[in-house]
Amino acid sequence: MEKHITVIKGDGIGPEIVNEAIKVLERIAEKHHHTFHYQEVLAGGCAIDAYGTSLTDEVLQACIDSDSVLLGAVGGPKWDQVDPSIRPEKALLGIRKGMGLYANLRPASILKQLAHTSPLRKDIVDQGIDFMVVRELISGVYFGDKKTYEENNELVACDQMIYREHEIRRIAHTAFQTARKRNKHVISVDKANVLDTSRLWRKIVHEVAQEYPDVELSDMLVDNCAMQIVKNPAQFDVVVTENMFGDILSDEASMITGSIGLIPSASLGESNTGMYEPIHGSAPDIAGQNIANPIGTILAAAMMLKYSFDMAEESDEITAAVNEVLSAGYRTVDIMEEGCEQLTCSQMGDKITSYIK
Ligand code: IPM
Ligand code: MG
């Protein structure tokens, strides 16, 4: 098969980690006789430096026209003071919206080799952590009207939180379909005791649930969910929630796994074209030192093969290689432990590549 991948290396450690993911993709291409074409484009802080804005129309178009987007990370302190309308993060939001990527899948699972890196108590971790956060990605308070104005001699700021039925319905379908391939339990997270958007959310999610009688549905308030994630994470299979709750809960979920550098994410819409990235940020403090953990990005590339290219076997080979490398005791510095061998970012990429036989 032949696929066109738009590559956004981005800022900070972005270029280093994306290079390793491409190494792995090239090994897969060679083994399975695929051809991957990479079109490298600038978005985020580096695009502000080059073009004066974090996302140009041409770059967005390149993303839309390709078979998928692989992204490292964007942002950094260098651009903290730029105008909010062109901030690096705007590039992410613009690509999500422009490509219609309404569903963000963020797995939170703990590999047994790394269970001790979790900040949670051992008896909690031992019950298992393996769930998927399905976050609505292109509506809610992120995309409602915003304004800052003056009233009675003081500044007032307002961000509108908005949800339309169809926006809730389509993400609910994603959640139930995801649950069907897992343990068939969806927990829908909202703040229905306070917010109208949440009351609509709950109503629509329950309507959609009628079409999935084989999947169990429960509701949970977001503050309780934040507690339950640290108290009893084993209860979760699929968590579906609105944009900002999902932003916050997915960070919490990744943290309890203890290895944020290992977690990928997929952003999907109606078409097969998606955007794939690690969930961690651009880590400007360690950029350029060849010590970042490329595994999150490598697993993001694996998700791309599975969800966008229909290459499940190839995807599983990458995941298996990552597991074997960790089992064999190879680590990057962020997850280093006694008795293991520490590798640089590029050595880790080479090692994983070499385990794809
Ligand atoms: C994320 C990030 C982004 C978000 C930021 C960088 C805009 O935190 O992908 O979770 O809030 O969606
Ligand atoms: Mg976030």
Side-chain angles (χ1 to χ4, degrees):
M1 258 195 261
E2 200 169 335
K3 294 288 178 191
H4 292 265
I5 303 171
T6 304
V7 176
I8 301 175
K9 293 184 176 174
D11 309 312
I13 57 171
E16 303 162 48
I17 53 181
V18 170
N19 287 344
E20 300 316 308
I22 290 177
K23 249 183 215 170
V24 173
L25 283 173
E26 281 306 284
R27 172 72 194 113
I28 289 288
E30 174 192 49
K31 178 170 171 187
H32 293 270
H33 310 291
H34 299 309
T35 307
F36 297 137
H37 302 279
Y38 308 94
Q39 184 186 1
E40 211 178 302
V41 296
L42 297 183
C46 54
I48 297 177
D49 293 346
Y51 313 126
T53 181
S54 57
L55 179 66
T56 64
D57 294 344
E58 291 73 27
V59 166
L60 176 58
Q61 199 56 49
C63 294
I64 293 171
D65 293 340
S66 65
D67 293 314
S68 265
V69 179
L70 181 65
L71 181 136
V74 298
K78 182 173 174 199
W79 304 281
D80 272 353
Q81 303 307 325
V82 304
D83 188 89
S85 65
I86 57 161
R87 283 187 64 89
E89 293 79 5
K90 271 286 196 182
L92 269 185
L93 301 182
I95 294 170
R96 289 170 182 171
K97 191 71 167 183
M99 295 179 71
L101 307 175
Y102 60 82
N104 184 217
L105 308 187
R106 298 189 164 182
S109 59
I110 197 153
L111 296 169
K112 59 180 185 318
Q113 304 95 309
L114 296 174
H116 60 279
T117 58
S118 170
L120 295 185
R121 248 182 15 231
K122 187 173 180 310
D123 59 301
I124 297 177
V125 176
D126 285 348
Q127 290 171 40
I129 299 176
D130 181 12
F131 60 99
M132 181 75 89
V133 177
V134 177
R135 169 188 175 192
E136 198 293 321
L137 203 56
I138 53 174
S139 191
V141 71
Y142 275 61
F143 290 95
D145 286 342
K146 303 179 184 305
K147 57 179 181 231
T148 304
Y149 54 98
E150 229 182 281
E151 192 182 79
N152 302 328
N153 290 321
E154 62 177 350
L155 285 175
V156 180
C158 172
D159 296 285
Q160 178 195 38
M161 186 186 248
I162 184 166
Y163 268 102
R164 300 165 187 88
E165 276 189 51
H166 76 273
E167 294 170 331
I168 303 170
R169 191 163 281 119
R170 63 190 179 188
I171 190 76
H173 279 290
T174 306
F176 287 110
Q177 281 159 19
T178 305
R180 268 197 174 150
K181 295 185 206 134
R182 297 176 46 99
N183 293 320
K184 298 196 170 63
H185 184 195
V186 170
I187 295 186
S188 170
V189 174
D190 62 39
K191 189 72 185 173
N193 51 349
V194 179
L195 301 176
D196 265 19
T197 42
S198 282
R199 286 187 271 269
L200 181 63
W201 180 276
R202 207 176 264 213
K203 175 175 179 285
I204 302 298
V205 170
H206 280 263
E207 272 176 33
V208 174
Q210 305 292 315
E211 297 174 44
Y212 300 86
D214 52 319
V215 179
E216 189 191 336
L217 168 68
S218 3
D219 302 296
M220 193 179 274
L221 293 172
V222 63
D223 46 352
N224 182 33
C225 182
M227 287 200 300
Q228 296 298 329
I229 285 176
V230 289
K231 193 171 164 224
N232 176 16
Q235 71 187 291
F236 295 106
D237 177 30
V238 171
V239 172
V240 63
T241 192
E242 67 89 38
N243 202 345
M244 188 160 70
F245 297 162
D247 177 43
I248 299 166
L249 294 176
S250 63
D251 263 27
E252 188 190 10
S254 70
M255 219 42 232
I256 63 164
T257 71
S259 34
I260 185 164
L262 271 67
I263 304 182
S265 85
S267 303
L268 304 165
E270 290 310 342
S271 79
N272 277 336
T273 303
M275 177 158 70
Y276 298 85
E277 57 186 307
I279 67 154
H280 61 72
S282 61
D285 51 322
I286 59 162
Q289 298 175 34
N290 194 22
I291 59 170
N293 188 341
I295 295 180
T297 317
I298 289 169
L299 292 176
M303 281 184 106
M304 179 169 78
L305 299 184
K306 183 169 285 181
Y307 289 92
S308 285
F309 298 170
D310 211 12
M311 299 179 183
E313 186 190 335
E314 291 87 330
S315 175
D316 291 345
E317 282 178 9
I318 297 179
T319 311
V322 167
N323 280 320
E324 285 167 34
V325 164
L326 292 170
S327 294
Y330 297 106
R331 300 282 187 273
T332 41
V333 63
D334 54 311
I335 50 173
M336 184 57 191
E337 60 192 296
E338 226 184 282
C340 287
E341 183 175 339
Q342 189 171 317
L343 302 183
T344 64
C345 178
S346 54
Q347 285 170 336
M348 183 53 95
D350 289 337
K351 190 59 82 181
I352 292 167
T353 306
S354 75
Y355 271 66
I356 301 170
K357 291 282 154 40

